[in-house]
Amino acid sequence: MKIITAEWLFDGEKFLKNKAVLFEEKILAVDTPDTLKKRYSNAEFIDMGQNSTIMPGFINPHVHLEFGANKTHLSYGNFMTWLNSVIQKRDELIESCKAGCYKREIDEMLASGITTFGAVSSYGKELRACLAAPQRVIFFNEAIGSQPAAVDALYADFLQRLNQSREAANDKFIPAIAIHSPYSVHPILIKKILQNIENEPLSAHFMESPVEKEWLEKADGPFKEFFENFLNQTKPLTTAKEFLKHLDGYKALLTHAVWADKDELNLIADAGHTIIHCPRSNRLLGCGRLRLEKLNSTKISWLLGTDGLSSNTSLNLWDEMRSALMMHYEMDLESLALDLLKVVTSKAANALNLPIGEIKEGNWADIIIVTLPDIPESSEQLPLQLILHTTNVKQLYISGEKYA
Amino acid sequence: MKIITAEWLFDGEKFLKNKAVLFEEKILAVDTPDTLKKRYSNAEFIDMGQNSTIMPGFINPHVHLEFGANKTHLSYGNFMTWLNSVIQKRDELIESCKAGCYKREIDEMLASGITTFGAVSSYGKELRACLAAPQRVIFFNEAIGSQPAAVDALYADFLQRLNQSREAANDKFIPAIAIHSPYSVHPILIKKILQNIENEPLSAHFMESPVEKEWLEKADGPFKEFFENFLNQTKPLTTAKEFLKHLDGYKALLTHAVWADKDELNLIADAGHTIIHCPRSNRLLGCGRLRLEKLNSTKISWLLGTDGLSSNTSLNLWDEMRSALMMHYEMDLESLALDLLKVVTSKAANALNLPIGEIKEGNWADIIIVTLPDIPESSEQLPLQLILHTTNVKQLYISGEKYA
């Protein structure tokens, strides 16, 4: 049993003073340090000292570990150019990201305070590394494929991977399902997959790029040539709205949604889906800026993800938050900073329906401690100062076990 | 005599292959490695190897070293709140930034490849540290003061500081002049200062914040109360346009200019002034985004500066470039990346009229070498990949002397 205290506690919603956390595998109590010390006098007492903050471990809900070998190989700035570079380099990159590569990515996330991540898996190659990860992992088995003739084979492969991860399920390994995107998955495959869901988290890329919009809405644009050449396909499989209708009744995590229009956002809001925002990935692939202010006004819940190293330079959510502050330069700095800390903790846990993300009794003891370089003058500025000054955490616990 | 070569050479304008640089204090020749090796067989030959790029040392034209002690003390998000926090903490911060503090700032800049910086000095306290810096320093003696009764005293103080720095002038220490801003310097003081310029670089803050605009144009807004309370002043000293007219005939460096309107931008373009863009500072002080695309279309030359640690978290121009890429998310990624490398090298040198910023014969040998973590697939992506992956340099020379 441990009691940990620091100058501040961020419980996932707000910053509190004079608080300590009693925990084993789970959080047993949150109270003043004095009360907990008196009541649990044989617990180990850890005081992280001034300028430190106890927070829930971060949740990175969208990462492609398979592309961890990429540094400078892919072409950035334009979605089609990037996609073509991915297709060209895909085998080489995936082949060169082996166990050591996955471990580097997992360790980088760990050092920065990510205690839960959602790995989107195309082939299941990173399964072993994810099972060995100290973190809680949501393992998104991804289905992709638009050829009608291949649906059965694709589904069988998907199911085999899904079942493999279902067998491995435990408190720290959560099998989940990903549908690649509206443009790349045949509606029949989507239906087969959805029929198979047993309450698993469900994710999909959605309206990431302007070319995706042009293709889905007008069967035109650079994707037309791409689909004709690669897949002998002349029309999109579905519209964005039809795709959303498939997902009705599920609470899905839709990644990107930069190009979702007003109607689509309303459908997303009505269905209670959540959007995963990946600002750096969007910028590097020439996809522009997700209108966060529109999501806020439509009351759509959004999270923050790093995406994979195929479209980013780090898997660090602090880096991502700093980039988000710059990209959304018109949004109020102080309140955006607080929102960012909420979306990587309580809001992400809520969307994933996991007992983490808040420092409260009964949740898993996924706890990080970060320390500022100096004393902030006001508590209103704390979220911002934490984001500006943090890259890695001081201490980190997952299910109460210390990893950093 | 040294010959240095690498896979690429960025000469300040473009990327070249199979080039080497022969240098002592100055750059003596740029040619193929083979030619230089044959011709200067007794020169030391340094091959920085694959994935490395030789570049001109970076120029950070706007930094306030005096605030180097700030980490978390100032309030960000709103210009007035920030200004009030500066006024409240000013003495304490300046007092606590002593020699060691300046040295940390200078060393941080050095490690990141900044071989020339423009230090805006309010009091002259950092003069000694700047004289001892390995870098080339443009020492901007700053004048500030709006009270008519104080003009003579302020001018005398300014002149004393300016003369002190003029006496210290050498190849690596360039005395210069800064007028704080249109709203804070009395026109008579401006005139006296301008009469005294002997070809020194001239800089001023200009139209940084929305409150500055409201005050200068309408004698209203939060600055009204501020000026009444602190300075017993009820009207602005000048309009922005009048201020620009004062500067006619000088090539000034105007820092920020986020709120400059179309007419003011036209005046700036006509006068040949240069704008120093400080994206992170602008964001942190709630000043918004400088419309770089407007500067480009008006053919106004712009540079990139970190500003001081009173409104930033690092003095690293790579960090600043990465932030600029995010903030200007609608601008073409590849061409913005190349522009950013130009503005911190050749364009800055051109604005400051210094024989640096380009790898060419006759220039001072201010040279940095940076190394990418892997092989980029295309040379068009090189500027971007360099910005995405670099924080500190591999080697650094100033006037041919190795410092890192």
Side-chain angles (χ1 to χ4, degrees):
Chain A
M1 229 170 12
K2 288 189 177 79
I3 298 165
I4 194 159
T5 191
E7 192 162 355
W8 300 281
L9 174 94
F10 176 63
D11 67 0
E13 281 291 325
K14 56 198 176 307
F15 282 79
L16 303 163
K17 279 218 138 192
N18 195 34
K19 291 286 179 193
V21 186
L22 176 80
F23 66 97
E24 284 178 318
E25 267 196 312
K26 295 198 169 179
I27 294 169
L28 304 172
V30 183
D31 211 321
T32 66
D34 287 350
T35 311
L36 291 180
K37 266 162 94 174
K38 248 179 245 164
R39 232 180 262 169
Y40 306 91
S41 56
N42 57 347
E44 182 190 349
F45 185 77
I46 307 155
D47 185 352
M48 296 302 298
Q50 66 178 19
N51 306 335
S52 288
T53 303
I54 297 170
M55 310 177 78
F58 283 2
I59 299 162
N60 181 8
H62 190 84
V63 60
H64 302 261
L65 291 181
E66 284 157 325
F67 287 96
N70 178 57
K71 293 276 185 201
T72 58
H73 289 277
L74 300 176
S75 189
Y76 291 151
N78 174 287
F79 188 83
M80 283 313 294
T81 314
W82 172 79
L83 184 61
N84 285 319
S85 75
V86 170
I87 288 166
Q88 202 194 327
K89 298 280 161 188
R90 188 180 181 97
D91 293 346
E92 186 186 325
L93 284 173
I94 287 176
E95 199 46 46
S96 58
C97 192
K98 295 265 169 68
C101 173
Y102 300 136
K103 191 167 184 306
R104 270 197 307 280
E105 295 177 270
I106 288 165
D107 288 349
E108 183 195 350
M109 287 196 275
L110 193 72
S112 72
I114 293 169
T115 54
T116 297
F117 62 84
V120 181
S121 171
S122 311
Y123 306 108
K125 282 179 188 279
E126 67 283 67
L127 178 65
R128 189 190 294 249
C130 286
L131 284 167
Q135 285 105 327
R136 228 167 283 284
V137 181
I138 301 121
F139 196 78
F140 287 105
N141 296 282
E142 187 172 60
I144 183 169
S146 58
Q147 306 284 62
V151 162
D152 286 340
L154 291 167
Y155 181 65
D157 170 67
F158 163 81
L159 208 57
Q160 192 262 329
R161 288 184 282 129
L162 177 64
N163 285 333
Q164 196 177 11
S165 68
R166 276 177 175 166
E167 277 159 31
N170 62 47
D171 290 332
K172 283 173 72 179
F173 185 84
I174 299 118
I177 290 163
I179 294 164
H180 181 266
S181 80
Y183 62 83
S184 58
V185 188
H186 198 284
I188 296 171
L189 185 53
I190 296 176
K191 275 185 198 159
K192 278 175 172 272
I193 288 164
L194 292 176
Q195 280 163 6
N196 212 305
I197 288 190
E198 297 171 356
N199 264 322
E200 281 103 353
L202 173 67
S203 184
H205 298 96
F206 184 74
M207 283 301 203
E208 176 176 8
S209 66
V211 293
E212 176 176 345
K213 186 177 169 72
E214 203 179 357
W215 171 244
L216 292 179
E217 284 182 1
K218 300 180 189 164
D220 208 351
F223 254 164
K224 188 179 164 71
E225 198 190 328
F226 178 87
F227 274 96
E228 280 174 359
N229 289 350
F230 283 97
L231 299 157
N232 201 22
Q233 189 187 320
T234 55
K235 279 193 309 188
L237 301 159
T238 178
T239 66
K241 285 170 198 63
E242 283 164 3
F243 182 78
L244 289 177
K245 272 177 210 146
H246 282 301
L247 304 184
D248 248 352
Y250 305 89
K251 303 268 182 201
L253 300 160
L254 302 173
T255 304
H256 304 309
V258 182
W259 293 85
D261 65 20
K262 208 182 151 189
D263 292 343
E264 287 148 18
L265 290 181
N266 285 333
L267 287 174
I268 290 168
D270 291 345
H273 300 318
T274 298
I275 289 173
I276 301 175
H277 177 34
C278 306
R280 285 189 290 173
S281 173
N282 293 159
R283 177 51 170 140
L284 291 183
L285 307 194
C287 293
R289 184 180 77 88
L290 175 67
R291 264 59 188 169
L292 281 186
E293 57 282 6
K294 279 193 191 170
L295 305 196
N296 289 345
S297 68
T298 327
K299 306 232 183 284
I300 296 173
S301 184
W302 55 273
L303 312 178
L304 193 75
T306 60
D307 214 340
L309 291 175
S310 43
S311 58
N312 210 340
T313 51
S314 84
L315 302 179
N316 184 315
L317 279 172
W318 298 100
D319 291 343
E320 205 65 47
M321 290 189 275
R322 281 188 286 274
S323 291
L325 290 178
M326 292 302 294
M327 175 179 266
H328 304 286
Y329 63 86
E330 286 182 293
M331 297 182 85
D332 178 77
L333 190 68
E334 227 173 56
S335 60
L336 178 57
L338 180 58
D339 280 350
L340 288 167
L341 292 183
K342 286 182 192 174
V343 303
V344 299
T345 57
S346 57
K347 298 216 172 189
N350 185 48
L352 289 160
N353 201 22
L354 292 175
I356 51 173
E358 284 178 80
I359 304 285
K360 70 171 187 191
E361 201 186 309
N363 272 3
W364 291 111
D366 292 4
I367 294 169
I368 59 177
I369 297 97
V370 294
T371 303
L372 281 171
D374 210 339
I375 304 158
E377 296 301 313
S378 88
S379 57
E380 286 73 30
Q381 295 263 309
L382 251 176
L384 175 64
Q385 297 290 358
L386 285 169
I387 293 173
L388 292 179
H389 291 286
T390 313
T391 296
N392 286 322
V393 298
K394 207 88 176 176
Q395 283 197 13
L396 180 144
Y397 298 84
I398 298 169
S399 295
E401 200 169 325
K402 191 167 183 288
Y403 287 98
Chain B
M1 227 166 18
K2 288 187 175 83
I3 298 166
I4 194 159
T5 191
E7 191 161 357
W8 301 281
L9 174 94
F10 176 64
D11 68 0
E13 281 291 325
K14 56 198 176 307
F15 282 79
L16 303 163
K17 279 218 139 192
N18 195 35
K19 291 287 179 191
V21 187
L22 176 80
F23 65 97
E24 283 179 317
E25 265 195 312
K26 296 196 169 179
I27 294 168
L28 303 172
V30 182
D31 212 321
T32 67
D34 286 351
T35 311
L36 291 180
K37 266 162 96 173
K38 249 179 246 166
R39 233 179 261 168
Y40 306 92
S41 55
N42 56 349
E44 182 191 349
F45 185 77
I46 307 156
D47 186 352
M48 296 302 298
Q50 66 179 16
N51 307 334
S52 289
T53 304
I54 297 170
M55 311 178 78
F58 283 3
I59 299 162
N60 181 8
H62 190 86
V63 59
H64 302 261
L65 292 181
E66 284 156 325
F67 286 96
N70 178 58
K71 292 275 185 202
T72 58
H73 289 279
L74 301 176
S75 187
Y76 291 151
N78 173 289
F79 188 82
M80 283 314 295
T81 313
W82 171 78
L83 185 59
N84 285 321
S85 76
V86 171
I87 289 166
Q88 202 193 325
K89 297 279 161 190
R90 188 183 182 95
D91 293 346
E92 185 186 326
L93 284 173
I94 288 176
E95 197 48 45
S96 58
C97 193
K98 295 265 168 68
C101 171
Y102 300 136
K103 192 167 182 307
R104 272 197 304 281
E105 295 178 271
I106 289 165
D107 288 350
E108 183 195 352
M109 287 196 275
L110 193 72
S112 72
I114 293 169
T115 55
T116 297
F117 62 85
V120 181
S121 171
S122 310
Y123 307 108
K125 283 179 189 280
E126 67 283 67
L127 178 64
R128 189 190 295 247
C130 287
L131 284 167
Q135 285 105 327
R136 229 167 282 285
V137 181
I138 302 120
F139 196 78
F140 286 105
N141 297 281
E142 187 173 61
I144 183 167
S146 59
Q147 305 284 63
V151 163
D152 285 340
L154 292 166
Y155 181 65
D157 169 68
F158 163 80
L159 208 57
Q160 191 263 329
R161 287 184 284 129
L162 177 64
N163 285 333
Q164 196 177 10
S165 68
R166 275 176 175 166
E167 277 159 31
N170 62 46
D171 290 332
K172 284 174 68 180
F173 185 84
I174 299 118
I177 289 162
I179 293 165
H180 180 267
S181 81
Y183 62 82
S184 59
V185 188
H186 198 284
I188 296 171
L189 184 53
I190 296 176
K191 275 184 196 159
K192 279 174 171 273
I193 288 164
L194 293 176
Q195 280 162 7
N196 212 304
I197 290 190
E198 295 171 358
N199 264 321
E200 281 103 353
L202 172 66
S203 183
H205 298 96
F206 183 74
M207 283 301 202
E208 177 176 6
S209 66
V211 293
E212 176 175 346
K213 186 177 169 71
E214 203 180 357
W215 170 243
L216 291 179
E217 284 183 1
K218 299 179 188 163
D220 207 351
F223 254 164
K224 188 180 164 72
E225 198 190 329
F226 178 87
F227 274 97
E228 280 175 357
N229 288 352
F230 282 96
L231 299 156
N232 200 22
Q233 190 187 319
T234 54
K235 278 193 309 190
L237 300 159
T238 178
T239 67
K241 286 170 197 65
E242 283 164 3
F243 182 78
L244 289 176
K245 273 177 209 146
H246 281 303
L247 304 184
D248 248 351
Y250 305 89
K251 304 268 183 200
L253 300 160
L254 301 174
T255 304
H256 304 308
V258 182
W259 293 85
D261 65 20
K262 207 182 153 190
D263 292 342
E264 286 149 17
L265 291 180
N266 284 334
L267 287 174
I268 290 169
D270 292 345
H273 300 318
T274 298
I275 288 173
I276 301 175
H277 177 33
C278 305
R280 285 189 289 172
S281 173
N282 293 160
R283 177 51 170 139
L284 292 184
L285 307 196
C287 293
R289 184 180 78 88
L290 176 67
R291 264 59 188 170
L292 280 186
E293 58 282 7
K294 280 194 190 169
L295 305 196
N296 290 346
S297 69
T298 327
K299 305 228 182 288
I300 295 172
S301 183
W302 54 273
L303 311 178
L304 194 74
T306 60
D307 214 340
L309 290 175
S310 43
S311 59
N312 210 339
T313 51
S314 84
L315 302 179
N316 184 315
L317 278 171
W318 298 101
D319 292 342
E320 205 67 46
M321 289 189 277
R322 282 188 285 273
S323 292
L325 291 178
M326 292 303 294
M327 175 179 267
H328 305 286
Y329 63 86
E330 285 182 295
M331 298 182 84
D332 179 77
L333 190 67
E334 227 174 56
S335 60
L336 178 56
L338 180 58
D339 280 350
L340 288 168
L341 293 183
K342 286 182 192 174
V343 302
V344 298
T345 56
S346 57
K347 299 217 171 190
N350 186 48
L352 289 161
N353 201 23
L354 293 174
I356 51 173
E358 286 177 80
I359 305 285
K360 72 172 186 189
E361 201 186 311
N363 271 3
W364 291 112
D366 292 5
I367 294 169
I368 59 177
I369 297 97
V370 294
T371 303
L372 280 172
D374 210 338
I375 303 158
E377 296 301 311
S378 89
S379 57
E380 286 73 30
Q381 294 263 310
L382 251 177
L384 176 64
Q385 297 289 359
L386 285 168
I387 293 173
L388 291 179
H389 291 286
T390 313
T391 295
N392 286 322
V393 299
K394 206 90 175 173
Q395 281 197 13
L396 180 145
Y397 299 84
I398 299 169
S399 294
E401 199 168 326
K402 191 167 182 289
Y403 287 98

